[in-house]
Amino acid sequence: MRSIAVDAMGGDHAPEEVVKGVAQVSLTTDIECLLVGDERRIQAVLEGVSYNPEHIAILHARDAIGMAEEPREAIKRKDSSLVVGVRAVAEGRADAVVSAGNTGACVLACAKHFRLLRGLRRAALASVYPRHRDHPGQDRFALLLDVGATVRCEAEELVQFAIMGNAYARRVSKIASPAVGLLNMGSEEMKGGEALVEAHRRLRHLPAINFAGNVEGNDLVRGKADVIVCEGFVGNVALKLIEGVSEVLYDLTSAAAERRVAWRVGLRLLSRGIERLRALTDYTQYGGSPILGFEHHLIKCQGRSTAHAIGNAVKVAAKTVRDRVPAEIADTLVAAR
């Protein structure tokens, strides 16, 4: 039985959407959830929805960390729902954590209470995102890391991110031999500066990795690589750009439909394709992003997550526990030495 601690007070729509998401999971799966936060507010939401009480417990936490708070200070000062949830996993009361709260606080809470896997220098925040499929059966999502946990990286850290992403894709996405790419400013192996050149050289000679070489920005939405590695600053910008383009495209089509009858008729004919685009780029389908590198996992949801997104994140967290993703990463690190 997988037990997932859920930060009920984290996110723009907490605790209502978080609790509703967990309630939905309790009715459709055997996942045990530990809702962490203000017990009175959590119970009030539960009283208004259907749920299975056998699969939900509540762990009271008096404080919450706001989305705009300074993470380091908040972690020190508050016995928040996020910290209490992470600590519950560290103490063995749950197996993984889900939070839609402050990203920096999530990373710092993990660093404070979880141990890094042996041999790792840094943890990484990974994110799945939609991309074009290059061949039948290819997963419709790629994995990008790091997207914000480590701003600047050395070659060793990029190689370790590749190992972590490779292990995650094998276990969670069920890709037997994920193609791993290194995000760079050109396909040539000497592009990008010392750290990227050295990372390219090492990945090319690493038997445990199916290295696809350098990938450029326009390759992000193609099927060339299943796992794409970069430093956190670049990854965060790339991820936000992908999200922004899909949102702008959908907004433009909606605005066009309001202005002219001819456009409205044309867009109606294209409606099936537009809805497919919207479904493909819907972040609620994949739930959240894993923080990789620790002995336990935290799945970080978007701050605006709805109940549907929270429920999917809980399922992903349970899947990482069931498929022993941290152990897979640890084994791959040993094999790569």
Side-chain angles (χ1 to χ4, degrees), residues 24 35 59 72 104 126 131 135 166 214-215 257 304:
Q24 291 170 8
L35 279 165
L59 178 60
R72 197 172 300 277
R131 50 81 182 270
H135 53 78
N166 177 66
N214 287 337
V215 295
R304 56 183 172 153

Side-chain angles (χ1 to χ4, degrees), residues 71-296:
R72 197 172 300 277
E73 185 61 29
I75 291 291
K76 284 182 185 177
R77 185 168 46 86
K78 291 184 171 182
D79 198 34
S80 65
S81 54
L82 170 63
V83 172
V84 172
V86 170
R87 198 162 56 220
V89 173
E91 293 170 352
R93 297 159 72 185
D95 300 305
V97 193
V98 169
S99 177
N102 185 304
T103 301
C106 287
V107 175
L108 289 174
C110 290
K112 182 176 180 180
H113 294 284
F114 296 163
R115 286 182 297 185
L116 269 177
L117 294 171
R118 186 177 179 184
L120 278 183
R121 295 174 60 172
R122 304 267 187 175
L125 177 62
S127 182
V128 293
Y129 68 92
R131 50 81 182 270
H132 175 74
R133 283 185 273 206
D134 202 36
H135 53 78
Q138 188 175 33
D139 195 286
R140 69 190 183 102
F141 293 110
L143 185 73
L144 179 69
L145 72 164
D146 180 40
V147 295
T150 302
V151 176
R152 300 295 181 190
C153 301
E154 298 177 6
E156 173 70 13
E157 292 156 352
L158 291 170
V159 171
Q160 291 185 348
F161 292 171
I163 291 170
M164 290 193 287
N166 177 66
Y168 187 88
R170 282 209 313 268
R171 286 288 186 174
V172 176
S173 300
K174 305 303 182 187
I175 305 171
S177 181
V180 178
L182 184 63
L183 187 58
N184 206 331
M185 58 192 293
S187 59
E188 300 85 356
E189 62 184 65
M190 299 307 293
K191 282 287 183 75
E194 186 178 335
L196 286 167
V197 170
E198 175 61 15
H200 187 287
R201 184 191 68 78
R202 294 179 59 181
L203 288 169
R204 193 175 69 241
H205 293 100
L206 201 59
I209 298 294
N210 174 20
F211 186 46
N214 287 337
V215 295
E216 299 179 72
N218 57 344
D219 292 319
L220 286 171
V221 293
R222 296 173 179 165
K224 182 177 179 179
D226 302 299
V227 176
I228 297 176
V229 176
C230 59
E231 60 182 11
F233 179 84
V234 174
N236 189 271
V237 171
L239 183 65
K240 297 293 173 59
L241 179 61
I242 292 168
E243 292 174 351
V245 167
S246 65
E247 290 174 0
V248 168
L249 181 59
Y250 189 79
D251 289 345
L252 285 175
T253 57
S254 299
E258 294 173 0
R259 288 186 184 138
R260 292 200 179 183
V261 174
W263 290 354
R264 192 153 53 242
V265 172
L267 288 170
R268 190 172 294 122
L269 295 173
L270 295 172
S271 61
R272 184 175 298 179
I274 292 169
E275 284 304 315
R276 285 185 63 190
L277 172 66
R278 188 181 191 186
L280 178 65
T281 57
D282 182 7
Y283 72 94
T284 67
Q285 297 301 315
Y286 53 83
S289 304
I291 298 178
L292 301 176
F294 295 107
E295 59 185 358
H296 303 290

